[in-house]
């Protein structure tokens, strides 16, 4: 079914259902982990908290524990997903479904049936040809290969078994309004490039990618300095050795990205063949670097939105700011499909309602538009939720969510937009370079990325001597760039709002910003240089790069496209971000205060002819600050704030980790 035939679509603000645009605020409940007699009570309490949408997995391992032996409530009443969906509709709740096949959900085998993972043709392989095992804390299991044809054949067989049930409950006949394609497709957090996948079918897929890229083996030999007679003879790299050509390893890094994109394309295709009248989304785990890119995921035909998950620690503003602003700059809809509510069994941290609320509001302040709270209802291996496993409420958390939904829906915050004119653009190629040079596999030391493993110094996982083209960046992690981090710090000190993205962002999205700060090193690929150069030629555009002008492409061939634009005066070079304020005349923010640890954000709505001002104290100390602006303004407090008015400045006193919101009307600003 074509997207244009669907009565439901994601929008920049939420989701359109029929002829209405709704905010996308939902919460997770796992029916099979709750006694059937408690479903209705739990759903009613979720509805009473102010939610109109719930989300649930439909786990393969639960419904087909033995191949061909299905149970959708015929044997175990807790598995009656048809009845559960009917109850959701009866309660007035829309539903988002996530059938996997990978679901994680702290399940022993992450939702896969054990009989499936035992199939050796499905298992991913190490460079030595052995099965790659995921050392999960409850039970180790073989990691399935994204290249396995049998994996997708079996997945499609299960999804086709689900199709009539899901179609029955799809809008407008039922309450299902969206479906997820797989879950956190990132090789089970094994994003180190030389762990997997060296299976037979992965090798064939690697060779297919090389053929698509080079078209002829002669071109590949020219790039590699080799004499292969055909693509099928090209060996899969198992690590980089000093002195060898980097290009084969670069291609292997690109293949890890290609494999993930190919897996998502196959999953979207399987869902399309289910013939469902609903949009499709995916959730990236946490990566803003190789092998994942939200920008590239959303280029897949049939994949409407790619979101990203967030599980903050108390007061974790740095992660939330970067992740949410990356979504705001990269995705069609800044959506967090899993935003932590409560905590998993082995985390060792349970946030208070106040700590959770701060993270939610801080994310909305930074551009979050859609969110699914994971979990709203407790279950095994998860606790601290507003609804208990028996359907009763946990009062403090329940009251917090009720107040949050009242604010979000009552004030229609989803209709307001951040409109930053500055974009910070991460250099995806630098992440590839760091992945290529990785000399240790940190992933082996912990059962998953959220559980702390052996405390081994980061320096041991990075070469002692870096290639000359990397000497400008001292960070070892794929997703970190020193220049980018210092640029963001400098912009924060100036109270300037910005979005974040990577170098895969399409040109039409670049054009929406007046200023772009893009990291550049000795090498930068010609297509990226040209895209940035074309941006810089536009009217009233400002392109600032650093810490150096690129001279080469990654093969070390001369490529000075941006150098030419710099000589023409259309590109600014900023070697030291700390000097940003002294070297560049930046736009003046509408609101400022003398303390950069009190962050400000403006959200606008032309419909309401007013804007919202968010103020966040991101420290554990009380802050007394003066917020300055031009003209005379009336401030109406809508969250933690009193009504105030004045000309030029307003004095406010903020408690630790507090967020305040005002609605501010200034008629002359919107005249005409």
């Amino acid at each position: 079914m074509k997207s244009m035939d669907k009565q439901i679509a994601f929008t920049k603000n939420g989701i359109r259902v029929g002829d209405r645009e709704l905010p996308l605020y939902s919460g997770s409940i796992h029916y099979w982990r709750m006694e059937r007699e408690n479903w209705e009570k739990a759903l009613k309490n979720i509805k009473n908290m102010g939610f109109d949408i719930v989300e649930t997995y439909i786990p393969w391992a639960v419904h087909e524990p033995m191949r061909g032996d299905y149970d959708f409530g015929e044997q175990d009443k807790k598995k009656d997903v048809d009845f559960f969906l009917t109850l959701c509709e009866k309660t007035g709740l829309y539903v988002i479904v996530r059938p996997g096949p990978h679901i994680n959900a702290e399940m022993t085998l992450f939702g896969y049936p054990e009989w499936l993972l035992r199939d050796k043709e499905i298992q991913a392989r190490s460079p030595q040809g052995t099965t790659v095992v995921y050392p999960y804390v409850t039970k180790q299991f073989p990691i399935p290969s994204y290249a396995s044809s049998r994996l997708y054949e079996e997945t499609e067989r299960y999804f086709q078994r689900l199709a009539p049930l899901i179609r029955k409950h799809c809008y407008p006949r039922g309450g299902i309004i969206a479906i997820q394609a797989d879950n956190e497709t990132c090789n089970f957090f094994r994003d180190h490039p030389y762990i997997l996948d060296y299976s037979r079918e992965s090798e064939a897929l690697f060779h297919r990618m090389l053929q698509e890229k080079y078209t002829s083996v002669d071109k590949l030999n020219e790039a590699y300095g080799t004499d292969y007679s055909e693509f099928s003879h090209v060996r899969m790299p198992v690590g980089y050795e000093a002195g060898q050509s980097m290009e084969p390893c670069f291609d292997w890094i690109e293949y890890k990205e290609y494999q993930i994109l190919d897996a998502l394309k196959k999953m979207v295709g399987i869902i399309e063949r289910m013939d469902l009248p609903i949009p499709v989304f995916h959730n990236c785990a946490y990566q803003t670097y190789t092998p994942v890119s939200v920008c590239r995921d959303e280029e897949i035909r049939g994949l409407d939105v790619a979101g990203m998950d967030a599980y903050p620690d108390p007061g974790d503003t740095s992660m939330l700011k970067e992740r949410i602003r990356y979504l705001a700059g990269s995705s069609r809809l800044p959506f967090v499909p899993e935003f932590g509510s409560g905590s998993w069994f082995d985390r060792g941290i349970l946030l208070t309602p106040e700590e959770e609320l701060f993270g939610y509001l801080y994310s909305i302040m930074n551009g979050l538009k859609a969110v699914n709270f994971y979990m709203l209802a407790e279950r095994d291996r998860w606790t601290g939720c507003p609804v208990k496993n028996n359907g009763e409420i946990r009062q403090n958390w329940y009251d917090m969510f009720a107040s949050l939904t009242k604010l979000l829906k009552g004030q229609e915050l989803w209709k307001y937009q951040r409109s930053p004119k500055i974009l910070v653009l991460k250099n995806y190629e630098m992440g590839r370079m760091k992945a290529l040079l990785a000399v240790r596999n940190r992933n082996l030391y912990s059962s998953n990325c959220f559980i702390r493993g052996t405390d081994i110094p980061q320096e041991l996982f990075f070469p002692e001597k870096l290639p000359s083209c990397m000497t400008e960046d001292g960070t070892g992690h794929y997703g970190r760039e020193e220049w980018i981090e210092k640029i963001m710090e400098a912009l924060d000190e100036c109270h300037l709002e910005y979005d974040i993205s990577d170098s895969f962002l399409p040109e039409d999205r670049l054009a929406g910003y007046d200023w772009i700060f893009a990291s550049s090193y000795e090498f930068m690929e010609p297509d990226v240089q040209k895209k940035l150069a074309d941006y810089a030629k536009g009217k009233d555009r400002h392109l600032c790069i650093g810490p150096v002008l690129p001279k080469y492409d990654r093969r070390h061939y001369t490529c000075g496209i941006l150098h030419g634009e710099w000589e023409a005066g259309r590109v600014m070079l900023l070697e030291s971000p700390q000097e940003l304020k002294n070297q560049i005349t930046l736009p003046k923010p509408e609101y400022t205060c003398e303390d950069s640890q009190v962050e400000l954000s403006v959200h606008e709505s032309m419909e309401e002819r007013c804007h919202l001002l968010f103020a966040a104290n991101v420290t554990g100390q009380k802050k007394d600050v003066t917020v300055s602006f031009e003209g005379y303004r009336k401030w109406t407090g809508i969250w933690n704030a009193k009504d105030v008015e004045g000309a030029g400045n307003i004095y406010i006193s903020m408690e630790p980790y507090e967020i305040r919101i005002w609605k501010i009307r200034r008629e002359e600003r919107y005249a005409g």
Side-chain angles (χ1 to χ4, degrees):
M1 183 171 293
K2 297 180 180 178
S3 178
M4 65 185 68
D5 298 327
K6 298 176 182 177
Q7 297 186 46
I8 304 176
F10 292 116
T11 69
K12 68 177 183 179
N13 291 326
I15 189 165
R16 178 178 54 79
V17 179
D19 58 358
R20 294 190 305 151
E21 186 181 46
L22 304 175
L24 204 170
Y25 307 135
S26 65
S28 300
I29 177 172
H30 293 171
Y31 57 90
W32 75 96
R33 287 168 147 168
M34 180 179 287
E35 295 301 325
R36 179 185 170 114
E37 57 266 26
N38 294 329
W39 289 352
E40 188 168 12
K41 184 191 303 180
L43 291 172
K44 285 182 177 178
N45 278 327
I46 289 173
K47 180 71 175 178
N48 290 338
M49 262 192 296
F51 287 94
D52 298 312
I53 309 170
V54 292
E55 172 273 316
T56 189
Y57 286 120
I58 307 179
W60 192 354
V62 167
H63 293 292
E64 193 184 5
M66 301 296 293
R67 192 179 189 281
D69 182 11
Y70 296 100
D71 183 3
F72 288 96
E74 298 86 357
Q75 302 169 48
D76 184 346
K77 295 301 181 183
K78 290 194 297 184
K79 300 180 182 182
D80 191 349
V81 63
D82 182 32
F83 181 68
F84 175 78
L85 293 170
T86 300
L87 273 181
C88 291
E89 292 155 2
K90 176 183 174 183
T91 311
L93 291 164
Y94 293 117
V95 184
I96 296 170
V97 292
R98 302 206 281 168
H102 168 212
I103 69 169
N104 194 333
E106 293 68 50
M107 294 187 72
T108 298
L109 304 177
F110 282 17
Y112 289 98
E114 189 167 3
W115 59 262
L116 181 88
L117 298 182
R118 286 201 199 108
D119 189 330
K120 292 186 177 180
E121 286 195 29
I122 288 175
Q123 295 169 2
R125 298 289 166 175
S126 73
Q128 293 75 33
T130 59
T131 298
V132 181
V133 174
Y134 187 78
Y136 191 51
V137 66
T138 57
K139 183 179 181 179
Q140 298 180 357
F141 62 87
I143 292 177
S145 166
Y146 291 151
S148 168
S149 56
R150 183 171 294 182
L151 172 66
Y152 299 104
E153 291 166 4
E154 293 287 359
T155 299
E156 181 145 21
R157 184 182 56 79
Y158 170 64
F159 274 48
Q160 284 299 325
R161 178 64 176 78
L162 286 179
L165 173 63
I166 294 179
R167 277 198 298 270
K168 172 185 174 182
H169 287 279
C170 278
Y171 181 88
R173 289 191 296 174
I176 297 177
I177 58 172
I179 187 170
Q180 183 185 44
D182 204 40
N183 179 66
E184 298 177 335
T185 307
C186 61
N187 281 315
F188 296 78
F189 316 117
R190 270 36 198 162
D191 50 21
H192 183 290
Y194 307 118
I195 301 175
L196 66 141
D197 177 17
Y198 295 86
S199 65
R200 177 181 53 82
E201 287 189 277
S202 180
E203 182 179 34
L205 187 64
F206 174 57
H207 292 149
R208 188 183 84 183
M209 185 208 78
L210 293 178
Q211 187 161 9
E212 290 176 3
K213 178 177 179 177
Y214 291 102
T215 67
S216 76
V217 73
D218 290 339
K219 292 180 180 177
L220 177 139
N221 284 328
E222 180 184 356
Y224 284 15
T226 53
D227 58 356
Y228 290 115
S229 58
E230 53 186 89
F231 286 107
S232 61
H233 293 170
V234 180
R235 294 184 295 272
M236 296 183 285
V238 297
Y240 174 74
E241 295 182 8
Q244 75 179 57
S245 169
M246 285 188 171
E247 202 58 27
C249 290
F250 262 124
D251 279 343
W252 181 251
I253 303 303
E254 288 189 18
Y255 167 66
K256 302 314 295 292
E257 302 160 10
Y258 178 94
Q259 188 186 35
I260 285 173
L261 292 170
D262 183 71
L264 282 174
K265 288 175 185 176
K266 288 173 179 172
M267 285 307 310
V268 171
I270 288 171
I271 290 173
E272 285 184 336
R273 290 188 288 277
M274 295 172 75
D275 194 23
L276 306 174
I278 52 177
V280 181
F281 71 96
H282 177 68
N283 67 320
C284 305
Y286 53 83
Q287 298 94 335
T288 59
Y289 48 86
T290 187
V292 175
S293 168
V294 163
C295 300
R296 300 181 80 188
D297 285 356
E298 290 192 354
E299 291 175 357
I300 296 173
R301 186 190 63 83
L303 183 61
D304 299 279
V305 166
M308 186 176 295
D309 300 339
Y311 290 95
D313 289 342
D316 188 359
T317 55
S318 58
M319 180 276 284
L320 286 175
K321 178 190 290 185
E322 181 169 354
R323 194 164 300 180
I324 300 303
R325 290 191 178 187
Y326 175 82
L327 283 171
S330 306
S331 178
R332 299 185 186 106
L333 173 68
F335 178 26
V336 174
E338 294 182 21
F339 203 139
S341 162
S343 197
W344 58 92
F345 67 111
D346 55 351
R347 185 184 185 189
I349 297 174
L350 181 62
L351 277 67
T352 66
E354 294 76 19
E355 289 168 338
E356 284 192 10
L357 181 60
F358 175 82
Y360 302 151
L361 289 175
Y362 185 74
S363 297
I364 291 165
M365 170 180 172
N366 280 281
L368 178 68
K369 299 293 292 184
V371 58
N372 176 65
F373 297 103
Y374 190 95
M375 304 277 300
L376 282 188
E378 280 182 356
R379 38 82 167 180
D380 60 288
R381 303 180 184 177
W382 202 276
T383 190
C385 304
V387 178
K388 300 178 184 179
N389 192 256
N390 63 4
E392 301 291 341
I393 65 171
R394 180 169 281 105
Q395 196 68 53
N396 291 346
W397 277 267
Y398 179 92
D399 291 344
M400 179 271 289
F401 274 107
S403 65
L404 176 63
T405 57
K406 182 178 179 181
L407 168 70
L408 299 179
K409 294 166 65 178
Q411 296 293 336
E412 296 187 321
L413 295 198
W414 56 287
K415 292 185 176 180
Y416 288 80
Q417 298 283 345
R418 279 175 69 254
S419 300
K421 296 301 181 183
I422 299 173
L423 176 69
V424 175
L425 202 63
K426 301 176 70 171
N427 190 313
Y428 202 85
E429 199 75 6
M430 178 56 72
R432 287 173 167 171
M433 173 69 84
K434 292 176 181 178
L436 180 156
L437 294 169
V439 294
R440 294 288 186 277
N441 173 15
R442 297 191 75 187
N443 297 122
L444 290 180
Y445 299 114
S446 62
S447 64
N448 69 33
C449 64
F450 307 117
I451 300 174
R452 295 176 181 174
T454 310
D455 186 14
I456 299 178
Q458 171 72 26
E459 290 76 16
L460 294 180
F461 301 97
F462 204 63
E464 293 180 7
K465 182 170 180 168
L466 304 178
S468 62
C469 57
M470 291 185 66
T471 55
E472 301 85 12
D473 182 70
T475 58
H477 190 274
Y478 311 167
R480 290 186 56 215
E481 295 179 78
E482 186 176 12
W483 188 86
I484 288 288
E485 292 177 0
K486 290 180 178 177
I487 282 290
M488 292 191 294
E489 289 174 7
L491 293 173
D492 288 339
E493 288 175 4
C494 298
H495 283 287
L496 288 167
E497 295 195 69
Y498 53 88
D499 286 338
I500 305 170
S501 191
D502 61 52
S503 43
F504 283 110
L505 190 69
E507 288 188 51
D508 62 328
R509 292 286 297 271
L510 296 179
Y513 298 92
D514 296 340
W515 284 81
I516 292 180
F517 291 87
S519 54
S520 61
Y521 307 95
E522 279 192 5
F523 76 104
M524 181 183 282
E525 288 295 83
D527 59 328
V528 179
Q529 289 199 44
K530 184 179 184 305
K531 182 163 62 175
L532 292 174
D534 289 344
Y535 166 84
K537 293 173 184 175
K539 185 180 179 181
D540 298 325
R541 304 267 181 82
H542 307 273
L543 175 63
C544 182
I545 65 174
V548 297
L549 284 166
K551 304 175 184 178
Y552 316 104
D553 65 12
R554 77 183 191 192
R555 296 182 194 169
H556 226 64
Y557 293 149
T558 299
C559 183
I561 298 173
L562 284 177
H563 193 279
E565 296 302 312
W566 172 71
E567 289 181 330
R570 287 187 287 267
V571 173
M572 292 168 279
L573 175 64
L574 186 64
E575 298 179 21
S576 175
Q578 291 92 331
E579 299 299 318
L580 183 147
K581 289 184 286 186
N582 299 329
Q583 295 186 27
I584 297 174
T585 303
L586 293 164
K588 185 179 179 182
E590 186 165 1
Y591 296 90
T592 61
C593 77
E594 71 280 6
D595 191 332
S596 62
Q597 291 182 321
V598 173
E599 299 179 6
L600 306 173
S601 179
V602 176
H603 295 220
E604 301 191 62
S605 170
M606 296 305 292
E607 292 180 16
E608 295 293 323
R609 298 178 63 82
C610 64
H611 60 273
L612 302 179
L613 176 66
F614 288 74
N617 176 4
V618 298
T619 75
Q621 293 79 43
K622 185 175 180 180
K623 293 284 184 178
D624 298 320
V625 297
T626 299
V627 178
S628 302
F629 50 89
E630 293 183 358
Y632 186 89
R633 307 188 181 193
K634 293 184 178 180
W635 302 31
T636 302
I638 64 172
W639 183 264
N640 274 352
K642 297 179 180 179
D643 296 353
V644 292
E645 58 183 285
N649 57 72
I650 295 291
Y651 173 82
I652 57 175
S653 180
M654 300 192 70
E655 296 299 318
Y657 294 111
E658 181 182 46
I659 290 179
R660 296 187 182 185
I661 311 173
W662 292 269
K663 182 177 289 188
I664 301 175
R665 187 178 299 274
R666 194 182 73 173
E667 294 295 337
E668 63 270 23
R669 181 176 178 192
Y670 302 99

